[in-house]
Structures are given as structure tokens and as C-alpha cells.
Amino acid sequence: MNEKVLLHFQDTSADLTDIEQYLGEGGYEATRKALTEYEPDGLVNLVKESNLRGRGGAGFPTGLKWSFVPKDTGKPVYLLCNADESEPGTFKDREIIEHDPHQLLEGIIIAAYAIRCEIAYIYIRGEMALGYKVLVKAIADARNKGFLGKNVFGTQLSIDIHVHRGAGAYICGEETGLIESLEGKRAYPRIKPPFPAVYGVFGCPTIVNNVETLACVKHIIERGSDWFKSIGPEGGPGPKLYCVSGHVRKPGVYEAPMGTPLRDLIDRYAGGMLPGRTLKAVIPGGSSVPILRAEETAINMDFDSVAKAGSMLGSAGIIVMDNTTCMVRALRTITHFYHHESCGQCTPCREGTGWLEKLLIRIDSGVGTDEDLKVLDSVAQGMMGTTICVLADAAAMPVRSFLAKFADEFEAHVRGEDCRADAVHRRVA
Amino acid sequence: MPSITINDVTIEVPDGTNVIQAAEMSGQEIAHYCYHPGLSVAGNCRMCLVEIKALSSKQPNGLPKLQIGCNTIVQDGMVIESENEKVRDARRGVLEFLLINHPIDCPICDQAGECKLQEYYIDYGGHDSRFELKSKTEKHKAVAIGPGVMLDQERCILCTRCVRFLEEVTETHELTIHERGDHSELSLAHGKSVDNPYAANIVDICPVGALTSREFRFEARVWYLQSTPSVCTGCSTGCNIEVHSRAGSIYRVKPRSNFEVNDYWMCDYGRAIFSDNGRADRLLSSLSRESGGFVNARFEDAALRSARALQSEPGPIAVVASADLSLEEGFLLGEIAEQLGGGLKIITSPASSEFCDDGFLISEDRHPNRQGLLALGYVEARRLHKSVNRLLVARDNPAAGEESWDAYLESAGATIVISDNFDETTAYADHVIAVGSHFESDGTFMNGKGRVQRFAKAVDAPTGAVEGWRALGYVLGALGGTRYESAEEVFTALAARHLGLSGIGYDALGNDGVQSGVSAQWAGASVPLDAAALDR
Ligand SMILES: Cc1cc2nc3c(=O)[nH]c(=O)nc-3n(C[C@H](O)[C@H](O)[C@H](O)COP(=O)(O)O)c2cc1C
Ligand code: SF4
Ligand code: SF4
Ligand code: SF4
Ligand code: FES
């Protein structure tokens, strides 16, 4: 397999959470180079040239996002590192934070310099207690070395990082929900416009980037944009972390080039299906994206290829389901999550997520009707594209795709037939 | 000024106008719940979705997703559709979502008849429920969240208008939303109660029946209520109001928007004043003194006798008034005094009170027309410095004031009292002319900033009482002065003579009133004068 970049800690005996050992591996050279050899705009251009696309879910081009920060507004600019990682099936950022936090700090310092920001925040999911401790220590160590604080690396620049812990709501990962939460308010996503790049945290220009995105930045500076572009498809390249979970032998986070075939990730990286089971379906990008049937999984895992297959790369949370899975039960579980996590601001999302779950409980309990299936699809349809943030779409897309792709199973449930997956389950168990 | 097209109507609107406002300017309505022009934009109800067919003249492309009108600022050349099938479908969807957990208890809901859920259901919904009734989310009903306001959490559509009002207008932050998703509920912030001087405004802006007035609860069906434009008499701000009445009784008062005065709001004190209208000590007949006691008199008789009494007494005359008189009443009293040879006209109402100017609406001067009376030549004095023989006391109760008036009242040869209720001063009167309250008459006030504003008669005065202008006009006529046929005639005369507003009637005052030129002149005149300086 390829050299690991983001998960370099797996290839070295060094403890990369220890700053001395990290420095021993060439740590902070990329940052020194960025701050002493580049102008901020040069860095923005370099990242643009690398074609780095955001790893938080939407795949927005990072360099382009940075270029939206207005100059000379007289207001401070903020960089927020989104470490809220709450999308079901997603657990990659945690790996970076817990094992190689300094590569993230480097990415943050470089990005901060590029957008002329002096204060950056890492908004970390509240449950990640270890990650929080690791980051606090890493920041203190970096500050002691003069990499953070005033006159970083002997320059005139001041850059500092604060860590802020969330309190357990999925919606805090949505960038404007995150901003509100960081300001000490309820995480109600904001209506846009204005966009955060113009009016973000504390009313100031703000860039929000995912942990993995920022970690990539460090490596782009270190190895160049051509190197980055050489990994996977040129339009959205780079090393990529894939979170494989579900009915595979070795669930876990795997680093592989962008565009690695999905079947490779399941069969080679994650060790294949559990003994005696066959692949039934895969959700390729975290619970929010449309599901793929087994026969649709011969695809490459990059933004454009997955989109072409009718789903999304999203957070690269690959949820693998085998033939013991009841699709009605699986969808009910997913829908329960969105019902629980909707912030409740927008009418369609607040009321729709609850309605979806109530319908699925009925269908799953064997008292659903044909009409319920129709209503389910139409409720989901009515939630899409009508709300402040895309959580409503994230709740609706799985519903619509499960219904479209596993219609027979849903119909069998409302006809009161025994759940076929249960039967398989009994046989294999 | 950007020119835009909404549903084929092209109109120019000011920069910075949003699509809901622009539609309104073009005579169309875009359905909405959470947007309120006096509050920040929340964009949460999603009812105002519209289709942008063209963004601007520079970007003639449309947008694939529907946009919310409240948060879309128009640009020149923008083309908007707000009633096409796609939009109507989305709106029907939003309405269905709003209703699935709604209790639909319209039969016992005060809001019925002025509820935006009902209205838009007729316009866009019309659907049968696809939701199982028994799985509705249950929340608390009839929660008293303050002395004046009742909350029904199930009816709340979580538009946050009330929350924003309490954050942005009063900055008192009593309400907030607890929980998430469809468990979200409007609740009191920890340890708070909605008890601020402007609390009842949240009842007005709640688009549904979630917030109701504890005073008005279950009192009337709103479709039976008649609305009359008026002006609050609670202080010199003169908030514009609507008086809602039925069959001669007033049921509630609501603010009427006037951007020169009160925007969309009013205070709770002003809102409660109407209840005085039904007080037990109202005068139900004019009174004349006969052999030591009062007998009921028709107002014409009381007015004639008053005129005679005033004519037959020699000596100085004083008009003693409160700053609650309308301009019309103040003017007619002055004319009466002139007819009798002229005299002193004083306002005894103190300009200060236990209230303070709160920097928003409430002003320290608890009277609606001090500036107006000053413009008519009245002066401020708490007492007389020597006895006068003829006293005309109007809507004032000097006998109950801090200064001692007993001697003046006892020594006067003729004391005429014009009042709407019995009080300490009526007891000294030779004749009492029973008049209606300002809710029972047409008239005008000049507020503290010199704005002349009109109020219209909302209900009839009790049988036996008449409008103040009519009663005083009768007295004036009996003394040989001009006979005025209507309050408006009186106004036209006084406006020309005293306010520098020639040839205008009530229509010219419009809904928002007219700023008079005299404000500057009288702005500093509220310093109480010592009546001794007024010896004539
Ligand atoms: C409901 C919701 C939850 C989200 N959660 C996360 C998250 O946990 N972590 C994350 O990086 N992005 C999350 N996002 C995406 C962010 O809004 C944002 O697009 C992202 O952080 C941008 O970073 P990137 O450009 O580096 O991808 C979420 C979005 C939505 C709508
Ligand atoms: S879509 Fe849902 S989660 Fe997003 S802001 Fe609206 S209610 Fe909140
Ligand atoms: S109580 Fe009324 S105004 Fe307040 S959030 Fe609910 S519906 Fe809106
Ligand atoms: S502020 Fe004054 S005028 Fe306005 S409602 Fe209150 S009392 Fe009436
Ligand atoms: S009025 Fe626009 S979203 Fe509510």
C-alpha cells in the first residue's frame, strides 16, 4: 500500500503527540517555510492550484473559499477548525487529533497566515475528551516553542489557537451552527446571506475548515501542489481518510488515495465481509447521503465519481451492510438520529424529521400501510431544498434512496410479511 | 431605486427592500409567519418561499432552489414569482408541516378569526390531514408566563417573533426556546417572568393563538369587534392605537403603526386605560344644583344654566383644565372665556410623574395634550394666587390635588364642572356637564413633540352624557359665540388660529397626524409658571 501521509503515525515508532519527537521527524518545517517564504496570497494560490477540496462533507474548493475573505475590512479574521465530527459513520478527524495533532496545528497556522487571521479556534466535539487533552497539550507545547503566540517563528506575526468543546449536538458541526455555538448561543444555523467569509463569528470574516482539510494543507506546503494533484483524480485529489464501518471484518480508518475503488476499501483495506455474509448495500459518505445497492458499488471513491453514481463522497464514512440487514430497521435508526438532532428552527425539518421517524416506527412495527410509504416519500421530498441548513436534506436523502432502492422490502413490511432480513439473520446466526 | 417584477407587476422600490416588503408595495401579499418588519430576520418558518426567475439585470439567471422572501434583498432587474405551482406546492408543504403537531383548537382559541394558520390554510392548504392524530407531540397549555400573557406551547409555531421582540426591542430576554427538533418549546428563561412595561406587544405579534392576553382571554370573538383608529391618552407620546369594541363596549386596544411615533408598539399601561371607560363612578347625567342638592338635568339645560350662571356673575374668570382635554375642548373653553370678557386659562396637571422617560415610548408626562393646550394659550399653574368669581373646571379635579383649592372653590360665585365622572371637585359645582371620555368622541391631541393626531369616536358616551366639544359648543352658542356643528369644524377653526395650519380638516391629518410648526415654540414651555406672574 502507499506511503501514509495523514496517518503517518502508523508508519513510525515515534510518538507524534510529543513535540520533540514530532520535530525529530521534520515537524514544523512546512509552517516555517510558509510563514517565512510565502506571502499570504501566494499560499492561497498554492492551495488553489492543489485542487484541495474540503473534507468536511461538501467538497468545496479550499483555496477558493479562502479567497472569499474580504481584505481590509478593519475587522479581525477568524479561522475555525471544525472538529465536531458527528456524522454517523465518520471517525477520521479523531484519528488525526489523537495521534498526530501537530500536523493539524501546522495546517491551522498556515491557513491562518494565508487568510490574515491571528486567532483560530478548534471546535471539538464534546465527547472527544482525549482529543481535547491532546490538543491542549500540543498547543501549549507549540506555544513554548514559539510556533504560536506573538512573533511566531521570529516573524512579526501573531497567531494563536484556542480549543472550544462542544456539548453534544450534531448541528454544531454545521458551520454557522458552530459559529453560533462558539459565540455561546444555541447552535441555530444562520440564514445565508451573509456568508461566514464576510460575516462569521463575532460578526467578523470567518473561514471554517474541516480537520482533515487543514491537515492536508500542511502536506501541500511540504511537498507541493503537483505532488498533491498526482494522488487520485486531478479535479479533487490528495490523500484521503476513509472510515469503514458495519459488517466488515476490520472496521477502521484507512488512508488511501482519493479515488480508491470502493470495493478495494471494503475487501482489501477492511478485510472483506464477515464470514458467510454477502454485501447488500453501502452508504458511501456518512449517514446523510443516498445509499447504493451492492451492484452499484463498483465505483471509485472521489467526489465526482460518487456523485455520478447518484450519491456523495460526503465525509467518506463508508457504512457497509450485509444480507442480514433489514433496510426498514436501518432507515428507522438513521431517521431517529435526524429527528433527535434537528435543531428545530425550520418548519419542514423540525416537523418533517419527527414525522419520518413516526412513520418508520409504524412500518417497522408491522402496522404500516401502503399509504404510509407514499406519505414517507412525499414528506421527505417536501423537506428538501426548503430549509436554512442542509440537515433537512440529509434526513430526507436516505429516506428517498432507501425507498427507491429497496422498495420491495418496504412493501413486504407493510404487507405484514416476515422481515426477510430477520430470516437471513436467523439462518446465519 | 431598483426596479423589480413580482408576478408580472413591475415596481420601483427603495434600496435594501426585501421581497416581502416589495410585494406589499406592489399590492400583493407573500405569506409569512416569522418575518416582522420591526424585528430582525429569522428566516425559520419557510412560508415566504418564492422563486427567483432572474437575479438581477446583470445576472439574468434564476435560482434552482426556492428562496425565502424575507431574507432576499431585491436587486435591479430581479424577477420573482410568488404564486406559481412550485411555490404554492412548497407553501402547502410548509403549512402541512406546521399543522401536524398543532392542536387545532380553534373553537376555544382567542386567535380564531385573526390567525395566520387559518388564513393561509384557506389560501394554500385545504388538505386533509395525513398525520395520525394520536401521535401528535404534546406540550403544555395555558401557562401563565407573566401577569398579562398566557402561553399555549402546543399552538406555538416557534417563529421566535416574541423571543426577538424581547431581545431586540425591550432587551429583557424573558423567553427562549428549550429542547430541539419537534420537542422545541417556547419557555421562560430560567427565573424570569414576562413582566415588562411592553409585554403585551408579544400577544399582538404572535401570528397564532400561542400567546393570548389574560385580560382579553375568552372575552370576545374577534370577528364581532369593530376597530376604530385612536390615540393613547396615557402619556405625552401619543401612541397610535386601534380601539376594538362591540355593542358600545371596548374589549381591547392594540397599537397602530406610526413610524413617527410608536413604530408598531405601545406600552401595557396605555393598553389598560380603556378599562376606565366602564368605571362605576361615570357620570350618567348632567347635574344642576337646586336648593342645595343636585338634580339630574338634560345636557342642554345644564349647558344653558351654566351659561346664565357665568353671565350673571361679575368678576374674574378662570378656566382650570387638565392636560387631558382635546384641542377642541381646550379651544372652546378659551372661546367661552373670551365671550365672557377673557380670563386665565391654566393647566394644573403636573408634567412629572412617578414614571420616567424610558428612552423608548413611555414619557414622564402622563397627559396627552399639554403641548396642544400651551399652543392654545394655556399656562401651567398648580393653583390660583387669588380667588376668582367664576370657575370653569374641565376634566380636572383640583380639589383632590396637592394644592389646597377648597377656598377658591367655595368662594367662587359660579363653578361649572365639565367631567366624565364624579370626583372631589364635582361636589363644589353649581352645574356639572356630563361628557364622554375620549373613546366616546372625535378630537385631536398634540403630542409632546408637537404632532397633531386625531382620534375617532369608538363607542357612544353613556346615555345622558355627550361629547365634550358638543357640550362646550352649546355653552358657547348660548353665550352668543360661534355655533359649531362638528368636532372637525372646531378643529379647522383652532388649527388656523392657533397652530398655523390653515384650511385643514381631519382628513388632512391622515393616519399618521401632522407635525405642527409650534413644537419648537412650546418645546421649552413646560416649565411651571407661577400664577402670580399672570395677574391681569
Ligand atoms: C448538519 C451538518 C453537520 C455537519 N457536521 C460537520 C462536522 O462534524 N465536521 C465538519 O468538518 N463538517 C461538518 N459539516 C460541514 C460544515 O458545514 C462545513 O461545510 C465544513 O466544516 C467545511 O469544511 P471544509 O470546507 O474543509 O470541508 C456539517 C454540515 C451539516 C449540514
Ligand atoms: S434544516 Fe433543520 S437543522 Fe438545519 S437549521 Fe433548519 S431546523 Fe435546524
Ligand atoms: S409564541 Fe407566538 S410569537 Fe412566540 S414563537 Fe410561538 S408562535 Fe411565534
Ligand atoms: S407610551 Fe404613552 S402613549 Fe404610548 S401606549 Fe404607553 S402611555 Fe400610551
Ligand atoms: S417569513 Fe421568511 S422564513 Fe418566515
Side-chain angles (χ1 to χ4, degrees):
Chain A
M1 287 185 208
N2 298 290
E3 176 207 354
K4 296 200 187 78
V5 180
L6 296 164
L7 300 186
H8 172 63
F9 76 89
Q10 293 180 346
D11 289 346
T12 173
S13 57
D15 172 6
L16 299 181
T17 64
D18 179 305
I19 197 163
E20 297 301 341
Q21 296 185 45
Y22 184 74
L23 288 168
E25 302 248 332
Y28 284 99
E29 278 314 310
T31 307
R32 182 186 309 280
K33 184 166 139 194
L35 269 55
T36 55
E37 294 176 22
Y38 282 89
E39 286 301 311
D41 291 348
L43 287 173
V44 174
N45 285 334
L46 185 71
V47 172
K48 270 189 190 164
E49 278 161 26
S50 76
N51 289 346
L52 168 62
R53 289 172 65 175
R55 306 304 199 221
F60 196 84
T62 305
L64 183 62
K65 187 189 269 189
W66 293 1
S67 69
F68 293 154
V69 175
K71 290 197 181 119
D72 308 319
T73 58
K75 291 182 183 174
V77 175
Y78 291 98
L79 173 66
L80 310 183
C81 169
N82 190 342
D84 193 52
E85 189 158 74
S86 317
E87 172 85 0
T90 312
F91 36 90
K92 61 190 179 64
D93 297 342
R94 187 173 66 186
E95 210 69 0
I96 292 174
I97 292 167
E98 290 179 359
H99 299 287
D100 193 351
H102 289 287
Q103 70 167 327
L104 173 60
L105 300 191
E106 286 203 71
I108 293 175
I109 298 168
I110 296 164
Y113 173 58
I115 62 170
R116 299 172 167 84
C117 146
E118 297 194 337
I119 303 281
Y121 291 89
I122 302 175
Y123 187 102
I124 186 167
R125 176 174 174 159
E127 292 90 332
M128 292 195 202
L130 174 62
Y132 173 73
K133 268 196 228 159
V134 171
L135 282 174
V136 168
K137 174 172 181 298
I139 289 168
D141 291 346
R143 212 177 274 134
N144 283 337
K145 292 279 179 198
F147 303 157
L148 283 174
K150 290 204 162 64
N151 303 113
V152 286
F153 296 92
T155 66
Q156 297 297 305
L157 300 164
S158 297
I159 297 177
D160 216 335
I161 306 178
H162 303 289
V163 193
H164 183 95
R165 295 183 72 179
Y170 172 58
I171 199 60
C172 293
E174 195 280 340
E175 58 185 10
T176 57
L178 186 153
I179 286 171
E180 289 282 301
S181 173
L182 190 63
E183 288 183 356
K185 304 180 193 145
R186 250 182 102 97
Y188 269 170
R190 292 182 179 171
I191 41 173
K192 287 140 252 182
F195 291 92
V198 176
Y199 189 93
V201 73
F202 314 122
C204 300
T206 300
I207 290 295
V208 183
N209 274 132
N210 171 257
V211 168
E212 186 187 349
T213 312
L214 289 166
C216 284
V217 168
K218 177 233 166 180
H219 301 289
I220 292 169
I221 305 308
E222 196 167 84
R223 306 178 191 218
S225 57
D226 286 340
W227 161 81
F228 195 79
K229 266 193 290 196
S230 72
I231 304 170
E234 196 172 318
K240 180 74 192 102
L241 299 185
Y242 298 97
C243 324
V244 190
S245 63
H247 301 142
V248 290
R249 285 178 208 240
K250 292 194 298 167
V253 180
Y254 298 98
E255 178 173 339
M258 191 65 103
T260 300
L262 175 54
R263 298 306 298 256
D264 270 9
L265 288 163
I266 296 172
D267 295 334
R268 285 207 297 132
Y269 287 78
M273 305 303 293
L274 292 174
R277 314 274 185 97
T278 54
L279 182 65
K280 181 170 184 179
V282 179
I283 301 178
S287 63
S288 304
V289 309
I291 195 167
L292 300 172
R293 293 180 67 100
E295 59 270 25
E296 296 171 313
T297 55
I299 57 167
N300 293 342
M301 288 293 283
D302 58 76
F303 290 109
D304 296 340
S305 304
V306 186
K308 210 177 293 166
S311 186
M312 293 195 274
L313 182 64
S315 62
I318 300 170
I319 304 170
V320 181
M321 303 179 197
D322 68 23
N323 54 338
T324 65
T325 312
C326 167
M327 300 321 268
V328 175
R329 179 69 50 86
L331 183 59
R332 171 181 168 173
T333 306
I334 290 176
T335 305
H336 172 70
F337 174 78
Y338 292 102
H339 179 201
H340 190 250
E341 296 296 341
S342 163
C343 84
Q345 265 191 107
C346 315
T347 308
C349 177
R350 177 182 67 239
E351 305 296 339
T353 49
W355 196 355
L356 292 178
E357 190 188 3
K358 283 171 184 171
L359 285 165
L360 279 158
I361 290 172
R362 279 160 55 89
I363 299 166
D364 187 31
S365 320
V367 294
T369 61
D370 270 342
E371 184 60 22
D372 285 344
L373 294 182
K374 282 191 209 123
V375 175
L376 193 60
D377 192 57
S378 118
V379 169
Q381 192 182 349
M383 293 167 63
M384 293 181 69
T386 56
T387 51
I388 293 176
C389 85
V390 293
L391 186 142
D393 300 73
M397 279 188 295
V399 172
R400 302 208 72 200
S401 71
F402 272 66
L403 283 175
K405 299 198 167 163
F406 297 94
D408 52 333
E409 241 175 87
F410 282 85
E411 283 157 14
H413 269 262
V414 299
R415 278 197 306 268
E417 290 170 20
D418 273 356
C419 174
R420 296 176 205 170
D422 277 355
V424 178
H425 214 281
R426 277 194 297 275
R427 206 167 56 237
V428 299
Chain B
M1 294 239 296
S3 163
I4 57 149
T5 305
I6 306 178
N7 305 328
D8 298 330
V9 182
T10 301
I11 179 179
E12 280 200 2
V13 299
D15 271 321
T17 306
N18 71 38
V19 169
I20 293 185
Q21 294 169 321
E24 205 173 292
M25 293 172 192
S26 76
Q28 308 177 71
E29 192 203 356
I30 292 176
H32 62 275
Y33 290 105
C34 67
Y35 174 69
H36 187 286
L39 304 172
S40 65
V41 172
N44 57 32
C45 76
R46 317 307 288 180
M47 192 64 183
C48 66
L49 290 167
V50 295
E51 185 167 3
I52 308 293
K53 289 294 210 185
L55 261 176
S56 67
S57 40
K58 285 187 207 123
Q59 292 168 279
N61 59 299
L63 294 177
K65 275 196 195 179
L66 299 181
Q67 302 292 314
I68 48 172
C70 59
N71 196 45
T72 304
I73 302 296
V74 299
Q75 300 179 60
D76 190 51
M78 188 176 265
V79 180
I80 300 141
E81 288 187 1
S82 73
E83 290 295 333
N84 67 28
E85 198 160 334
K86 190 171 166 192
V87 172
R88 291 185 66 93
D89 270 355
R91 219 167 269 168
R92 186 178 310 121
V94 171
L95 202 64
E96 181 177 28
F97 283 129
L98 279 174
L99 288 172
I100 57 171
N101 283 311
H102 194 82
I104 319 197
D105 43 13
C106 313
I108 52 158
C109 178
D110 279 333
Q111 191 83 1
E114 54 183 4
C115 172
K116 290 287 176 192
L117 281 173
Q118 291 182 322
E119 284 174 32
Y120 297 146
Y121 178 79
I122 301 296
D123 293 344
Y124 299 100
H127 55 269
D128 291 330
S129 175
R130 299 190 290 172
F131 191 79
E132 257 211 285
L133 275 180
K134 65 176 195 291
S135 54
K136 287 200 183 220
T137 310
E138 287 175 11
K139 297 178 193 168
H140 296 285
K141 297 182 84 72
V143 188
I145 55 170
V149 185
M150 195 71 95
L151 164 68
D152 183 316
Q153 287 179 327
E154 287 186 346
R155 292 183 194 155
C156 171
I157 59 164
L158 299 159
C159 72
T160 70
R161 275 185 177 189
C162 56
V163 176
R164 281 174 284 144
F165 176 84
L166 297 172
E167 274 171 13
E168 297 163 14
V169 181
T170 59
E171 300 179 12
T172 45
H173 311 276
E174 296 95 336
L175 287 173
T176 184
I177 289 173
H178 287 166
E179 293 291 338
R180 279 197 309 234
D182 60 8
H183 294 283
S184 298
E185 50 188 38
L186 183 73
S187 303
L188 285 171
H190 186 72
K192 296 239 183 186
S193 144
V194 187
D195 188 6
N196 70 63
Y198 298 95
N201 289 291
I202 63 176
V203 175
D204 301 334
I205 59 176
C206 180
V208 299
L211 298 177
T212 47
S213 152
R214 292 177 73 180
E215 160 119 65
F216 179 69
R217 243 167 102 77
F218 308 133
E219 288 294 318
R221 275 313 194 183
V222 299
W223 51 85
Y224 293 125
L225 298 179
Q226 199 181 332
S227 168
T228 311
S230 186
V231 173
C232 176
T233 54
C235 75
S236 64
T237 302
C239 293
N240 290 204
I241 60 173
E242 279 172 13
V243 179
H244 292 183
S245 61
R246 182 187 177 203
S249 296
I250 301 173
Y251 283 83
R252 64 179 182 182
V253 160
K254 288 201 171 253
R256 180 165 59 87
S257 67
N258 183 336
F259 300 112
E260 301 299 329
V261 183
N262 55 313
D263 289 347
Y264 306 92
W265 324 116
M266 74 182 297
C267 80
D268 290 5
Y269 170 86
R271 206 183 280 261
I273 289 172
F274 81 87
S275 58
D276 282 354
N277 224 44
R279 53 198 268 196
D281 60 358
R282 287 292 303 266
L283 275 167
L284 301 178
S285 167
S286 293
L287 306 169
S288 283
R289 201 173 283 281
E290 268 176 24
S291 50
F294 277 138
V295 293
N296 286 353
R298 294 195 314 139
F299 102 85
E300 294 91 336
D301 297 337
L304 271 177
R305 286 178 205 148
S306 296
R308 301 258 166 69
L310 289 165
Q311 270 171 326
S312 59
E313 277 298 322
I317 181 164
V319 174
V320 179
S322 77
D324 298 338
L325 293 187
S326 66
L327 282 167
E328 290 75 2
E329 292 164 344
F331 170 76
L332 289 168
L333 282 162
E335 294 293 287
I336 290 169
E338 287 302 313
Q339 205 65 27
L340 294 165
L344 183 63
K345 292 179 290 182
I346 67 168
I347 311 167
T348 66
S349 319
S352 60
S353 68
E354 74 277 21
F355 288 82
C356 306
D357 282 357
D358 68 354
F360 181 37
L361 296 177
I362 295 173
S363 64
E364 187 180 6
D365 179 358
R366 305 311 295 172
H367 301 277
N369 197 32
R370 182 180 310 275
Q371 292 302 328
L373 295 180
L374 293 173
L376 293 175
Y378 284 69
V379 294
E380 307 203 69
R382 294 292 185 78
R383 59 181 177 81
L384 296 171
H385 75 292
K386 61 180 185 192
S387 294
V388 291
N389 212 28
R390 296 179 288 180
L391 269 176
L392 254 172
V393 183
R395 297 194 193 279
D396 198 7
N397 186 12
E402 282 166 21
E403 303 287 339
S404 173
W405 276 76
D406 300 351
Y408 306 127
L409 289 163
E410 268 159 21
S411 64
T415 302
I416 312 299
V417 173
I418 292 101
S419 180
D420 59 16
N421 62 292
F422 285 103
D423 59 27
E424 290 79 351
T425 307
T426 45
Y428 290 95
D430 295 308
H431 303 284
V432 178
I433 305 180
V435 290
S437 70
H438 99 289
F439 293 110
E440 296 157 356
S441 176
D442 291 307
T444 50
F445 296 128
M446 184 191 287
N447 79 357
K449 293 187 174 148
R451 175 166 290 271
V452 180
Q453 309 194 96
R454 179 184 171 201
F455 54 88
K457 175 174 169 172
V459 290
D460 285 334
T463 330
V466 290
E467 295 104 313
W469 68 266
R470 196 185 297 280
L472 293 168
Y474 206 89
V475 176
L476 180 60
L479 291 171
T482 315
R483 288 185 181 272
Y484 293 99
E485 296 299 323
S486 68
E488 184 167 15
E489 268 180 27
V490 183
F491 175 75
T492 306
L494 76 91
R497 220 165 320 150
H498 295 277
L499 309 180
L501 300 169
S502 287
I504 74 163
Y506 282 160
D507 280 353
L509 295 179
N511 291 327
D512 291 352
V514 164
Q515 184 63 38
S516 74
V518 302
S519 61
Q521 187 185 337
W522 294 109
S526 51
V527 190
L529 298 171
D530 184 347
L534 299 164
D535 210 357
R536 321 203 194 176

